[in-house]
Amino acid sequence: SAYNEGLVKYQYGSVAQVLETEAPLISFDQWKDNYYVGLQSDLRMILLKRKGNEFIKKDEFISPGRTLTHKLANSNLYVFDLDSGLTVFPNPEDLHLTNRYDKYKSVFTFDVSDKYLCGYSLSDNNLFLVEVKNGLPKRILDSLKIKTRYSFEMIFDNLLFFSSDEGLKLFDISDNTFNIMTETSELKWLIKIFKIDDYYLSLDNSGNLTKFRIINNSIKIDRTQNLGYPPKYISLEGSRLYLTYHKSNRILSIFDPYHNTNIERIDQWKTGFKILGDHPIFGVGDIDLKPVYSEYKEYYLKEDFGHLHNNYIHVLVILGVFGFAAFMYLLISVLLLDIKIYRALKGKEFAASFSLGTLGVFSAFLISGLAEWNFGDQEIITMIWFTLGLNIAFYKSLKTHEDHE
């Protein structure tokens, strides 16, 4: 995945094919035979088929809800959504054929084998074990309450490794229940475990690569080595370990339209302009936008929003161009008033400092309103009007005092 350049295929060290995608791919795996599936940053999935040396886009599809995690196993694609549970896609040639399990919600991490599916739900701190037959979950075998901020599961035969912010727990699940074998606080925040011959290799999110063994129902660590960076992805092929590394720039991420914190807002603004196109003069009215938003959003957008995370676009949509003009007149008037008061109170003890602070706060409010609906946030707007009122009170009081002198 070459991010905004799409999917790039290399052969013998040279670029052999570039396949454009609507959004950056955050995962790409072989599904079955010549079929491959990729998840884009906007949560759309693309299905590719390999014909000879070329990859051809066959389809684009989504899961029913807001995708949290997915995995390919048992020739199936397992997708967990925040609000709609588990969806299993068994056949890449018929994406309409699905198996739905809405009881498994808020599952952020999971692993699945030919016998078991184990997942952790952060909403209720529940680690659960499910029987698997013919690749599909059947019945819940056991569950366990574990409170943690982080979870990671890996199943090897009848062993379950569960990593959290407190350490690694090893369970024997051969009798369909969670039987704790051992645990260690040395292996925290794991993101991957490999089984190689008679030992295991784990990687945590700080870049620590650890070789350990299971001896007499206990974990014995042989060696730990820090890679010097946290890998983005890791894969084991034979005796070779492949790791990718991406150093993100915090400043540049602000302007990245595909960054996960930006793409959602950009989609909201695009939807807002679509609504405005049909209601340009007076808008749709000062209402909760959720019902209207659900009608205009793209099919792959999973969540309905009641506001548009932007003061200016939101007001345009609800009040149209006439209402927007009045809204901008209000904001500009307040800004000019704050500037006027600061200039009048300059040199006045305390009042000048408060006036400058009010001007700074209102300016920050206007700027943050480019990515927030803070005009509609009662906690924020109450303080905006309060500081403005107090600023005016300082100005009126000192002006009256000077007039009397």
Side-chain angles (χ1 to χ4, degrees):
S1 174
Y3 206 60
N4 56 346
E5 296 178 10
L7 184 67
V8 181
K9 175 193 167 189
Y10 290 87
Q11 192 169 8
Y12 306 117
S14 301
V15 174
Q17 183 186 0
V18 177
L19 190 69
E20 293 185 359
T21 56
E22 296 292 332
L25 286 174
I26 57 178
S27 73
F28 181 71
D29 296 284
Q30 185 176 11
W31 185 346
K32 186 188 294 184
D33 301 327
N34 290 325
Y35 286 97
Y36 295 75
V37 64
L39 177 66
Q40 298 180 146
S41 59
D42 59 8
L43 303 184
R44 277 183 285 180
M45 291 186 174
I46 59 170
L47 180 69
L48 304 180
K49 186 173 183 179
R50 183 172 180 173
K51 289 188 176 181
N53 288 326
E54 293 290 312
F55 285 94
I56 300 171
K57 183 177 177 180
K58 297 292 292 183
D59 210 341
E60 178 181 290
F61 64 105
I62 59 173
S63 61
R66 188 174 180 83
T67 302
L68 294 175
T69 183
H70 71 288
K71 190 166 291 187
L72 285 161
N74 305 320
S75 297
N76 292 330
L77 172 62
Y78 301 84
V79 182
F80 276 98
D81 294 332
L82 175 67
D83 46 359
S84 59
L86 170 64
T87 303
V88 181
F89 296 85
N91 188 359
E93 296 182 342
D94 185 2
L95 296 174
H96 297 289
L97 177 63
T98 61
N99 296 278
R100 296 274 297 109
Y101 307 88
D102 57 6
K103 59 184 174 182
Y104 305 115
K105 296 181 180 180
S106 300
V107 175
F108 282 74
T109 58
F110 78 102
D111 194 23
V112 60
S113 68
D114 59 342
K115 294 168 56 179
Y116 301 106
L117 184 148
C118 181
Y120 182 79
S121 173
L122 278 178
S123 62
D124 55 6
N125 303 315
N126 188 45
L127 178 68
F128 59 89
L129 184 66
V130 178
E131 179 186 22
V132 171
K133 285 187 177 180
N134 299 320
L136 300 177
K138 294 302 179 183
R139 60 190 178 97
I140 295 178
L141 301 171
D142 198 9
S143 62
L144 190 63
K145 292 289 183 181
I146 300 178
K147 193 170 184 179
T148 177
R149 294 173 293 158
Y150 177 85
S151 64
F152 168 79
E153 300 88 32
M154 285 291 292
I155 299 173
F156 295 100
D157 298 323
N158 293 318
L159 297 180
L160 170 68
F161 294 84
F162 178 78
S163 176
S164 68
D165 53 350
E166 295 183 349
L168 176 66
K169 298 179 184 291
L170 176 61
F171 296 96
D172 180 355
I173 54 176
S174 58
D175 63 352
N176 299 334
T177 58
F178 290 117
N179 295 310
I180 185 74
M181 291 174 56
T182 186
E183 57 186 304
T184 176
S185 60
E186 296 184 60
L187 298 174
K188 302 178 182 179
W189 306 93
L190 298 187
I191 59 175
K192 194 71 176 179
I193 299 177
F194 295 104
K195 189 176 190 301
I196 308 172
D197 299 327
D198 62 340
Y199 66 90
Y200 297 86
L201 199 63
S202 69
L203 178 71
D204 65 24
N205 59 9
S206 296
N208 292 311
L209 199 60
T210 302
K211 177 182 177 182
F212 66 92
R213 302 174 190 271
I214 310 285
I215 300 177
N216 296 326
N217 290 342
S218 64
I219 297 173
K220 182 182 182 300
I221 296 176
D222 292 342
R223 180 186 177 190
T224 297
Q225 177 179 332
N226 188 273
L227 300 172
Y229 59 88
K232 185 71 174 178
Y233 187 79
I234 180 171
S235 178
L236 178 69
E237 298 293 337
S239 60
R240 294 178 181 267
L241 202 60
Y242 295 87
L243 304 101
T244 62
Y245 171 57
H246 171 67
K247 184 177 182 180
S248 59
N249 187 304
R250 181 61 178 165
I251 299 297
L252 292 180
S253 69
I254 298 174
F255 307 100
D256 179 3
Y258 297 112
H259 192 276
N260 55 4
T261 58
N262 297 339
I263 193 170
E264 188 175 78
R265 278 169 167 74
I266 292 174
D267 286 333
Q268 290 177 47
W269 302 338
K270 287 180 180 178
T271 304
F273 282 116
K274 287 173 64 178
I275 300 171
L276 179 66
D278 287 344
H279 306 274
I281 307 302
F282 298 109
V284 297
D286 190 7
I287 60 172
D288 179 7
L289 287 179
K290 193 170 184 178
V292 182
Y293 185 91
S294 64
E295 293 179 17
Y296 282 83
K297 70 176 183 179
E298 295 290 346
Y299 81 96
Y300 57 85
L301 299 179
K302 306 295 183 69
E303 193 169 351
D304 296 327
F305 291 94
H307 63 80
L308 299 176
H309 276 99
N310 183 298
N311 287 341
Y312 312 100
I313 297 176
H314 186 90
V315 171
L316 263 173
V317 170
I318 64 173
L319 301 181
V321 292
F322 284 105
F324 179 74
F327 176 70
M328 291 305 298
Y329 178 79
L330 169 68
L331 298 183
I332 293 171
S333 297
V334 172
L335 181 64
L336 293 177
L337 179 59
D338 280 337
I339 294 173
K340 174 186 174 182
I341 292 174
Y342 172 65
R343 287 175 175 171
L345 298 181
K346 208 168 184 179
K348 303 292 184 181
E349 187 176 352
F350 185 77
S353 298
F354 183 86
S355 178
L356 182 61
T358 300
L359 176 60
V361 165
F362 190 71
S363 300
F365 166 79
L366 295 178
I367 295 171
S368 65
L370 293 168
E372 290 291 347
W373 173 232
N374 53 13
F375 189 82
D377 191 327
Q378 64 178 15
E379 294 91 346
I380 294 176
I381 200 64
T382 298
M383 294 308 299
I384 290 295
W385 297 138
F386 176 78
T387 53
L388 173 64
L390 195 55
N391 201 26
I392 295 172
F394 274 126
Y395 173 70
K396 294 283 188 182
S397 176
L398 289 172
K399 191 173 184 303
T400 301
H401 181 71
E402 288 176 354
D403 291 342
H404 288 167
E405 290 181 347

